[in-house]
Every structure is written in structure tokens, then in C-alpha cells.
Amino acid sequence: MYTEINKKFKIYISNWLLFMFFLVSAMIVVGGLTRLTDSGLSITEWELFSGFFPPLNKSEWIMYFDLYKKIEAAKINLKTGNILEANKIFQELLKTNNDSLDLLYEYGLFCKSLKNYNLSKRVFLHLVNKFPSSINSHILLAEILRMENKFKDAERVLQKAMKADSNHGDLLYNFSLLYVASKNYDEA
């Protein structure tokens, strides 16, 4: 009797071990294929029970898109896009939320990273006029103007920002960069 129970357990244990072996092997193969084909899902938040359904409204889509932009794969994918794709995405987002400082600022940064300085300059100019206390918008607009060798215009933008916040360290640093670029070493 003891040998019969022992044989049953051996069969159960060997079947269980064999099943586990094939399960682990399948996970390794699927993981390897995913890795080789670069077809990962770029999961930003793992929600086991609440993540079965896609976002159901625009604010949820924007929230998940913002989370997606923070991961490394998104940074690479967004950087390799072109200005037409960026315009399409941001124009859709701007239709529903055209007063968003963050959205407009990200759009300006994206255009700048694609080296579309004219569009980026227009976006930051709009931000400077609409949100005068946004120091970073002033700084980025001045940076683009400095790259275009429009030193006086860049200086005016930074001076306008100084009125909003005269103790902002980045403003002083950008004044120095501007004066060095314009070879005005006395002011730098």
C-alpha cells in the first residue's frame, strides 16, 4: 500500500514538474521573441484588476499619454517622429484643452527637439503672452532667439521675464549665456 501511494505521488509530482518545465520554457520563448522583435507593450502602470479596459474619456487618455511620455521607449519613439505626426497629435489634444500651459509647453519642447524652431518659437511666444509668469517659456523663447542670433530680441524676452521674477537663477544664467553668445563680455 505504501508503494502504491508513493507511485501516485511520483506521477503527480513528475507531471507537475513537466508542466512547470513547459510553462517556464514557453515564457522564455515568448519573452525572447518579444525582446528580439522590439514589440514590448511599454506598460506605464500595471493595473491588474482595473486595467482591462482602455481609457474611456479624453482626460484619461491624456493622463496615460503623459505617463507614457515618461518612459524611455516613448522618449525614443517621440524623438524619431516628424513634425507632421507631432502636429496631428498635439492639434487633437489642443482642440479639447487649448488653455493648458503644460500641453502647449510640451508641444513647444517637442517642436524644438525636432529642430522646427519657427513653430517652437511661435508656441513659446504664445505662452509668454498668455502666461506671463511662466519663466521657462521666456527662457526657451530667448534660447531660440539666441540660436538665431537675434540677441536684442532675446534680451527683451529675458528682461520681460525679470519683471515677473527678478530672483530666478535660470534667468541670470541665461542672461550670461546670451551676453557670451553676443560677445558682450562686460555684461556677462
Side-chain angles (χ1 to χ4, degrees):
M1 181 170 154
Y2 177 73
T3 56
E4 285 180 25
I5 294 174
N6 202 10
K7 283 182 183 179
K8 281 185 181 181
F9 282 123
K10 281 185 180 180
I11 291 172
Y12 288 142
I13 290 173
S14 62
N15 285 342
W16 179 78
L17 286 172
L18 198 58
F19 175 74
M20 288 294 135
F21 170 77
F22 285 117
L23 186 65
V24 169
S25 298
M27 288 192 296
I28 290 171
V29 168
V30 169
L33 288 173
T34 303
R35 187 83 160 167
L36 287 173
T37 59
D38 282 335
S39 58
L41 296 177
S42 302
I43 296 172
T44 57
E45 262 188 38
W46 185 262
E47 298 175 2
L48 184 59
F49 296 106
S50 63
F52 291 127
F53 299 106
L56 301 175
N57 58 41
K58 287 218 184 249
S59 64
E60 287 180 7
W61 277 108
I62 291 171
M63 180 194 71
Y64 280 107
F65 185 61
D66 288 339
L67 288 172
Y68 171 71
K69 288 188 294 187
K70 292 178 183 176
I71 63 173
E72 196 60 36
K75 291 175 184 174
I76 292 168
N77 288 339
L78 291 174
K79 205 156 194 104
T80 59
N82 62 36
I83 196 64
L84 296 176
E85 292 171 352
N87 276 332
K88 185 177 178 183
I89 292 168
F90 280 105
Q91 293 304 324
E92 285 298 315
L93 291 172
L94 289 171
K95 283 180 186 175
T96 59
N97 199 2
N98 63 353
D99 287 336
S100 170
L101 168 67
D102 295 331
L103 183 60
L104 288 167
Y105 184 78
E106 288 296 324
Y107 182 49
L109 284 176
F110 186 80
C111 294
K112 183 177 176 283
S113 72
L114 292 175
K115 296 185 178 21
N116 187 336
Y117 298 119
N118 287 330
L119 184 54
S120 182
K121 185 169 52 173
R122 286 198 319 254
V123 170
F124 289 125
L125 184 61
H126 175 72
L127 281 170
V128 164
N129 291 328
K130 191 166 189 157
F131 303 100
S133 63
S134 170
I135 303 301
N136 289 335
S137 301
H138 288 82
I139 290 171
L140 288 166
L141 177 59
E143 182 181 323
I144 294 169
L145 292 168
R146 186 183 72 224
M147 290 168 40
E148 294 176 341
N149 294 326
K150 296 180 179 176
F151 301 121
K152 290 294 179 190
D153 293 337
E155 186 177 24
R156 277 193 290 270
V157 168
L158 291 175
Q159 285 172 346
K160 187 176 176 184
M162 284 294 280
K163 291 178 184 173
D165 186 357
S166 60
N167 293 323
H168 199 285
D170 288 341
L171 280 174
L172 302 174
Y173 173 73
N174 277 278
F175 269 114
S176 298
L177 289 177
L178 174 65
Y179 293 138
V180 168
S182 64
K183 296 182 177 36
N184 187 353
Y185 300 113
D186 293 334
E187 292 291 328

